[in-house]
Amino acid sequence: MPAETPDPRVRTWSPVCRAVALLLGPYAEVVLHDAVTDRVLAVWHPLTARAPGDPSLLGELDELDPSAPDVYGPYEKLLPDGRRLSSVSAVLRDEAGRPSAVLCVNLDRGPLDQAAALLANFAAPTAPRPEPLFERDWSERINDVVGGHVRSRGRPLERFTREDRLAVLRELDGAGVFAVRRAVPAVATALRISRSTAYALLAELKHPAPPPSERTETG
């Protein structure tokens, strides 16, 4: 946090700078630059040894096109220790429209890169499952089949149609799941349907109704 200063620009923008620094700290520094003298006015959560009064090295702000946007970024910067920053700069103008100060927010990307790498490792392809360990685990087979149909259809179980459920039961039946005792209640739970519905669908799968043209009429 900057030391007390009589500069009116620091007094004006300090609440904004402090708010951003509190929200993003300790991973971001907020720097207020003097656009006239090209020096640092104040720094919140410094990531380097810069201090008020140090050169800003921003360049000639008076060469900016007046019609250009006053907010730039996010763009990438590097620290001497190799850390990557995502930076945003905002030109703050006085009542006459001249650049008066520049507010820069520099976000250390290191924690974000580490988190992204961690998530990427978790999401990386896994080794094939040792099937001999699971060939008798029919509950795993149920989960695999039901989960596979959810992913392939792109909708949750609550939105499964009758045909969707019949397709799941057909695949489970082909995998021999229903040869196991107590499999139907487990399938009903996995599909989020009642046991009676599961038994009815399974009966329909085993004994489908004949087409209307093949039905015999009784008088």
CSV table of all heavy atoms in Angstrom, one decimal, residues 92-133:
chain,number,residue,atom,x,y,z
A,92,LEU,N,-5.9,7.3,-17.7
A,92,LEU,CA,-6.9,8.2,-17.0
A,92,LEU,C,-6.7,9.6,-17.4
A,92,LEU,O,-5.5,10.1,-17.3
A,92,LEU,CB,-6.7,8.0,-15.5
A,92,LEU,CG,-6.6,6.6,-15.0
A,92,LEU,CD1,-6.3,6.6,-13.5
A,92,LEU,CD2,-7.9,5.9,-15.3
A,93,ARG,N,-7.7,10.3,-17.9
A,93,ARG,CA,-7.5,11.6,-18.5
A,93,ARG,C,-8.1,12.7,-17.6
A,93,ARG,O,-9.0,12.4,-16.8
A,93,ARG,CB,-8.2,11.7,-19.9
A,93,ARG,CG,-7.6,10.7,-20.9
A,93,ARG,CD,-8.3,10.8,-22.2
A,93,ARG,NE,-7.8,9.9,-23.2
A,93,ARG,CZ,-6.7,10.1,-24.0
A,93,ARG,NH1,-6.1,11.3,-23.9
A,93,ARG,NH2,-6.3,9.2,-24.8
A,94,ASP,N,-7.5,13.9,-17.7
A,94,ASP,CA,-8.0,15.0,-16.9
A,94,ASP,C,-9.3,15.6,-17.6
A,94,ASP,O,-9.8,15.1,-18.6
A,94,ASP,CB,-6.9,16.0,-16.7
A,94,ASP,CG,-6.4,16.6,-18.0
A,94,ASP,OD1,-7.1,16.5,-19.0
A,94,ASP,OD2,-5.3,17.2,-18.0
A,95,GLU,N,-9.8,16.7,-17.0
A,95,GLU,CA,-11.0,17.3,-17.6
A,95,GLU,C,-10.8,17.8,-19.0
A,95,GLU,O,-11.8,18.0,-19.7
A,95,GLU,CB,-11.4,18.5,-16.6
A,95,GLU,CG,-11.8,18.0,-15.3
A,95,GLU,CD,-12.3,19.1,-14.4
A,95,GLU,OE1,-12.2,20.3,-14.8
A,95,GLU,OE2,-12.7,18.9,-13.2
A,96,ALA,N,-9.5,18.1,-19.4
A,96,ALA,CA,-9.3,18.6,-20.7
A,96,ALA,C,-9.1,17.5,-21.7
A,96,ALA,O,-8.8,17.7,-22.9
A,96,ALA,CB,-8.1,19.5,-20.7
A,97,GLY,N,-9.1,16.2,-21.2
A,97,GLY,CA,-8.9,15.1,-22.1
A,97,GLY,C,-7.5,14.7,-22.3
A,97,GLY,O,-7.2,13.8,-23.1
A,98,ARG,N,-6.6,15.3,-21.5
A,98,ARG,CA,-5.1,14.9,-21.6
A,98,ARG,C,-4.8,13.7,-20.7
A,98,ARG,O,-5.4,13.7,-19.6
A,98,ARG,CB,-4.3,16.1,-21.3
A,98,ARG,CG,-4.4,17.3,-22.2
A,98,ARG,CD,-3.4,18.4,-21.9
A,98,ARG,NE,-3.7,18.9,-20.5
A,98,ARG,CZ,-4.4,19.9,-20.3
A,98,ARG,NH1,-5.0,20.6,-21.3
A,98,ARG,NH2,-4.6,20.3,-19.0
A,99,PRO,N,-3.9,12.8,-21.1
A,99,PRO,CA,-3.5,11.7,-20.1
A,99,PRO,C,-3.0,12.3,-18.9
A,99,PRO,O,-2.0,13.1,-18.9
A,99,PRO,CB,-2.5,11.0,-20.9
A,99,PRO,CG,-2.8,11.2,-22.4
A,99,PRO,CD,-3.3,12.7,-22.4
A,100,SER,N,-3.5,11.9,-17.7
A,100,SER,CA,-3.1,12.4,-16.4
A,100,SER,C,-2.4,11.3,-15.6
A,100,SER,O,-1.4,11.6,-15.0
A,100,SER,CB,-4.3,12.9,-15.6
A,100,SER,OG,-3.9,13.2,-14.3
A,101,ALA,N,-2.9,10.1,-15.7
A,101,ALA,CA,-2.3,9.0,-15.0
A,101,ALA,C,-2.6,7.7,-15.8
A,101,ALA,O,-3.5,7.7,-16.7
A,101,ALA,CB,-2.8,8.9,-13.6
A,102,VAL,N,-1.8,6.7,-15.5
A,102,VAL,CA,-2.1,5.4,-16.1
A,102,VAL,C,-2.2,4.3,-15.0
A,102,VAL,O,-1.3,4.2,-14.1
A,102,VAL,CB,-0.9,4.9,-17.1
A,102,VAL,CG1,-1.2,3.6,-17.6
A,102,VAL,CG2,-0.8,6.0,-18.2
A,103,LEU,N,-3.3,3.6,-15.0
A,103,LEU,CA,-3.5,2.6,-14.0
A,103,LEU,C,-3.2,1.2,-14.6
A,103,LEU,O,-3.8,0.9,-15.6
A,103,LEU,CB,-4.9,2.6,-13.5
A,103,LEU,CG,-5.3,1.8,-12.2
A,103,LEU,CD1,-6.6,2.4,-11.6
A,103,LEU,CD2,-5.5,0.3,-12.5
A,104,CYS,N,-2.3,0.5,-14.0
A,104,CYS,CA,-1.9,-0.8,-14.6
A,104,CYS,C,-2.2,-1.9,-13.5
A,104,CYS,O,-1.8,-1.8,-12.4
A,104,CYS,CB,-0.4,-0.9,-15.0
A,104,CYS,SG,0.0,0.2,-16.3
A,105,VAL,N,-2.8,-3.0,-14.0
A,105,VAL,CA,-3.0,-4.2,-13.2
A,105,VAL,C,-2.2,-5.3,-13.8
A,105,VAL,O,-2.4,-5.7,-15.0
A,105,VAL,CB,-4.5,-4.6,-13.1
A,105,VAL,CG1,-4.7,-5.8,-12.2
A,105,VAL,CG2,-5.3,-3.4,-12.6
A,106,ASN,N,-1.3,-5.9,-13.0
A,106,ASN,CA,-0.4,-7.0,-13.5
A,106,ASN,C,-0.7,-8.2,-12.7
A,106,ASN,O,-0.4,-8.3,-11.5
A,106,ASN,CB,1.1,-6.6,-13.3
A,106,ASN,CG,1.4,-5.3,-14.1
A,106,ASN,OD1,1.1,-5.2,-15.2
A,106,ASN,ND2,2.1,-4.4,-13.4
A,107,LEU,N,-1.3,-9.2,-13.3
A,107,LEU,CA,-1.7,-10.5,-12.7
A,107,LEU,C,-0.6,-11.5,-12.9
A,107,LEU,O,-0.3,-11.9,-14.0
A,107,LEU,CB,-3.0,-10.9,-13.2
A,107,LEU,CG,-3.6,-12.2,-12.6
A,107,LEU,CD1,-3.9,-12.1,-11.2
A,107,LEU,CD2,-4.8,-12.7,-13.4
A,108,ASP,N,-0.1,-12.1,-11.8
A,108,ASP,CA,0.9,-13.2,-11.9
A,108,ASP,C,0.2,-14.5,-12.4
A,108,ASP,O,-0.7,-15.0,-11.7
A,108,ASP,CB,1.5,-13.4,-10.5
A,108,ASP,CG,2.6,-14.5,-10.5
A,108,ASP,OD1,2.8,-15.1,-11.6
A,108,ASP,OD2,3.1,-14.7,-9.5
A,109,ARG,N,0.6,-14.9,-13.5
A,109,ARG,CA,-0.1,-16.1,-14.1
A,109,ARG,C,0.5,-17.4,-13.5
A,109,ARG,O,-0.1,-18.5,-13.9
A,109,ARG,CB,0.1,-16.1,-15.6
A,109,ARG,CG,-0.6,-15.0,-16.4
A,109,ARG,CD,-0.5,-15.2,-17.9
A,109,ARG,NE,-0.9,-16.5,-18.3
A,109,ARG,CZ,-2.1,-16.8,-18.6
A,109,ARG,NH1,-3.1,-15.9,-18.5
A,109,ARG,NH2,-2.4,-18.1,-19.0
A,110,GLY,N,1.5,-17.4,-12.7
A,110,GLY,CA,2.1,-18.6,-12.2
A,110,GLY,C,1.1,-19.5,-11.5
A,110,GLY,O,1.0,-20.7,-11.9
A,111,PRO,N,0.3,-19.0,-10.5
A,111,PRO,CA,-0.7,-19.9,-9.9
A,111,PRO,C,-1.7,-20.5,-10.9
A,111,PRO,O,-2.2,-21.6,-10.8
A,111,PRO,CB,-1.3,-19.0,-8.8
A,111,PRO,CG,-0.3,-18.0,-8.5
A,111,PRO,CD,0.4,-17.7,-9.9
A,112,LEU,N,-2.1,-19.6,-11.9
A,112,LEU,CA,-3.1,-20.1,-12.8
A,112,LEU,C,-2.5,-21.2,-13.7
A,112,LEU,O,-3.2,-22.2,-14.0
A,112,LEU,CB,-3.6,-18.9,-13.7
A,112,LEU,CG,-4.3,-17.8,-13.0
A,112,LEU,CD1,-4.6,-16.7,-14.0
A,112,LEU,CD2,-5.6,-18.3,-12.4
A,113,ASP,N,-1.2,-21.0,-14.1
A,113,ASP,CA,-0.6,-22.0,-15.0
A,113,ASP,C,-0.4,-23.3,-14.2
A,113,ASP,O,-0.6,-24.4,-14.8
A,113,ASP,CB,0.8,-21.5,-15.4
A,113,ASP,CG,0.7,-20.3,-16.4
A,113,ASP,OD1,-0.4,-20.2,-17.0
A,113,ASP,OD2,1.7,-19.6,-16.6
A,114,GLN,N,-0.1,-23.2,-12.9
A,114,GLN,CA,0.1,-24.4,-12.1
A,114,GLN,C,-1.3,-25.1,-11.9
A,114,GLN,O,-1.3,-26.4,-12.0
A,114,GLN,CB,0.6,-24.1,-10.7
A,114,GLN,CG,2.1,-23.5,-10.8
A,114,GLN,CD,2.5,-23.0,-9.4
A,114,GLN,OE1,1.8,-23.1,-8.4
A,114,GLN,NE2,3.7,-22.3,-9.4
A,115,ALA,N,-2.3,-24.4,-11.7
A,115,ALA,CA,-3.7,-25.0,-11.6
A,115,ALA,C,-4.1,-25.6,-12.9
A,115,ALA,O,-4.6,-26.7,-12.9
A,115,ALA,CB,-4.7,-23.9,-11.2
A,116,ALA,N,-3.8,-25.0,-14.0
A,116,ALA,CA,-4.2,-25.5,-15.3
A,116,ALA,C,-3.4,-26.8,-15.6
A,116,ALA,O,-3.9,-27.8,-16.1
A,116,ALA,CB,-3.9,-24.5,-16.4
A,117,ALA,N,-2.1,-26.8,-15.2
A,117,ALA,CA,-1.3,-28.0,-15.4
A,117,ALA,C,-1.8,-29.2,-14.6
A,117,ALA,O,-1.9,-30.3,-15.0
A,117,ALA,CB,0.2,-27.8,-15.1
A,118,LEU,N,-2.2,-28.9,-13.3
A,118,LEU,CA,-2.8,-29.9,-12.4
A,118,LEU,C,-4.0,-30.5,-13.0
A,118,LEU,O,-4.2,-31.7,-13.0
A,118,LEU,CB,-3.0,-29.3,-11.0
A,118,LEU,CG,-3.6,-30.2,-10.0
A,118,LEU,CD1,-2.7,-31.4,-9.7
A,118,LEU,CD2,-4.0,-29.4,-8.7
A,119,LEU,N,-5.0,-29.6,-13.5
A,119,LEU,CA,-6.2,-30.1,-14.0
A,119,LEU,C,-6.0,-30.9,-15.3
A,119,LEU,O,-6.6,-31.9,-15.6
A,119,LEU,CB,-7.1,-28.9,-14.3
A,119,LEU,CG,-7.7,-28.2,-13.1
A,119,LEU,CD1,-8.4,-26.9,-13.5
A,119,LEU,CD2,-8.5,-29.1,-12.2
A,120,ALA,N,-5.0,-30.4,-16.1
A,120,ALA,CA,-4.7,-31.2,-17.3
A,120,ALA,C,-4.1,-32.6,-17.0
A,120,ALA,O,-4.5,-33.5,-17.7
A,120,ALA,CB,-3.6,-30.4,-18.2
A,121,ASN,N,-3.3,-32.7,-16.0
A,121,ASN,CA,-2.8,-34.0,-15.6
A,121,ASN,C,-4.0,-34.9,-15.1
A,121,ASN,O,-4.0,-36.1,-15.5
A,121,ASN,CB,-1.8,-33.9,-14.5
A,121,ASN,CG,-0.5,-33.3,-15.0
A,121,ASN,OD1,-0.2,-33.4,-16.1
A,121,ASN,ND2,0.2,-32.6,-14.1
A,122,PHE,N,-4.9,-34.4,-14.4
A,122,PHE,CA,-6.1,-35.2,-14.0
A,122,PHE,C,-6.9,-35.6,-15.2
A,122,PHE,O,-7.5,-36.7,-15.2
A,122,PHE,CB,-6.9,-34.4,-13.0
A,122,PHE,CG,-6.4,-34.5,-11.6
A,122,PHE,CD1,-6.0,-33.4,-10.9
A,122,PHE,CD2,-6.3,-35.7,-10.9
A,122,PHE,CE1,-5.6,-33.5,-9.6
A,122,PHE,CE2,-5.9,-35.8,-9.6
A,122,PHE,CZ,-5.5,-34.7,-8.9
A,123,ALA,N,-7.0,-34.7,-16.2
A,123,ALA,CA,-7.8,-35.0,-17.3
A,123,ALA,C,-7.1,-35.8,-18.4
A,123,ALA,O,-7.7,-36.1,-19.4
A,123,ALA,CB,-8.4,-33.7,-17.9
A,124,ALA,N,-5.8,-36.1,-18.2
A,124,ALA,CA,-5.0,-36.8,-19.2
A,124,ALA,C,-5.6,-38.2,-19.4
A,124,ALA,O,-6.2,-38.8,-18.5
A,124,ALA,CB,-3.6,-36.9,-18.8
A,125,PRO,N,-5.4,-38.8,-20.6
A,125,PRO,CA,-5.8,-40.2,-20.8
A,125,PRO,C,-5.2,-41.1,-19.8
A,125,PRO,O,-4.1,-41.0,-19.4
A,125,PRO,CB,-5.3,-40.5,-22.2
A,125,PRO,CG,-5.1,-39.2,-22.9
A,125,PRO,CD,-4.8,-38.2,-21.8
A,126,THR,N,-6.0,-42.1,-19.4
A,126,THR,CA,-5.6,-43.1,-18.4
A,126,THR,C,-5.2,-44.4,-19.0
A,126,THR,O,-5.5,-44.6,-20.2
A,126,THR,CB,-6.7,-43.3,-17.3
A,126,THR,OG1,-7.9,-43.7,-18.0
A,126,THR,CG2,-7.0,-42.0,-16.6
A,127,ALA,N,-4.6,-45.2,-18.3
A,127,ALA,CA,-4.2,-46.5,-18.8
A,127,ALA,C,-5.4,-47.4,-18.9
A,127,ALA,O,-6.4,-47.2,-18.2
A,127,ALA,CB,-3.2,-47.2,-17.9
A,128,PRO,N,-5.4,-48.4,-19.8
A,128,PRO,CA,-6.6,-49.3,-19.9
A,128,PRO,C,-6.9,-49.9,-18.6
A,128,PRO,O,-6.0,-50.3,-17.8
A,128,PRO,CB,-6.1,-50.3,-21.0
A,128,PRO,CG,-5.0,-49.6,-21.7
A,128,PRO,CD,-4.3,-48.7,-20.7
A,129,ARG,N,-8.2,-50.1,-18.3
A,129,ARG,CA,-8.6,-50.7,-17.1
A,129,ARG,C,-8.3,-52.2,-17.1
A,129,ARG,O,-8.5,-52.9,-18.2
A,129,ARG,CB,-10.1,-50.6,-16.9
A,129,ARG,CG,-10.6,-51.1,-15.6
A,129,ARG,CD,-12.1,-50.8,-15.4
A,129,ARG,NE,-12.9,-51.5,-16.3
A,129,ARG,CZ,-14.3,-51.5,-16.3
A,129,ARG,NH1,-14.9,-50.7,-15.5
A,129,ARG,NH2,-15.0,-52.2,-17.1
A,130,PRO,N,-7.7,-52.8,-16.1
A,130,PRO,CA,-7.4,-54.2,-16.0
A,130,PRO,C,-8.7,-55.0,-16.0
A,130,PRO,O,-9.3,-55.2,-14.9
A,130,PRO,CB,-6.6,-54.4,-14.8
A,130,PRO,CG,-7.0,-53.2,-13.9
A,130,PRO,CD,-7.3,-52.1,-14.8
A,131,GLU,N,-9.2,-55.4,-17.1
A,131,GLU,CA,-10.5,-56.1,-17.2
A,131,GLU,C,-10.7,-57.3,-16.3
A,131,GLU,O,-11.7,-57.6,-15.7
A,131,GLU,CB,-10.9,-56.5,-18.6
A,131,GLU,CG,-11.2,-55.3,-19.5
A,131,GLU,CD,-12.4,-54.4,-19.0
A,131,GLU,OE1,-13.2,-55.0,-18.3
A,131,GLU,OE2,-12.4,-53.2,-19.2
A,132,PRO,N,-9.6,-58.1,-16.1
A,132,PRO,CA,-9.8,-59.3,-15.2
A,132,PRO,C,-10.2,-58.9,-13.8
A,132,PRO,O,-10.9,-59.7,-13.1
A,132,PRO,CB,-8.4,-59.9,-15.2
A,132,PRO,CG,-7.8,-59.6,-16.5
A,132,PRO,CD,-8.3,-58.2,-16.8
A,133,LEU,N,-9.9,-57.7,-13.4
A,133,LEU,CA,-10.3,-57.3,-12.0
A,133,LEU,C,-11.7,-56.9,-12.0
A,133,LEU,O,-12.3,-56.8,-10.9
A,133,LEU,CB,-9.4,-56.1,-11.6
A,133,LEU,CG,-7.9,-56.3,-11.3
A,133,LEU,CD1,-7.3,-55.1,-10.9
A,133,LEU,CD2,-7.7,-57.4,-10.3
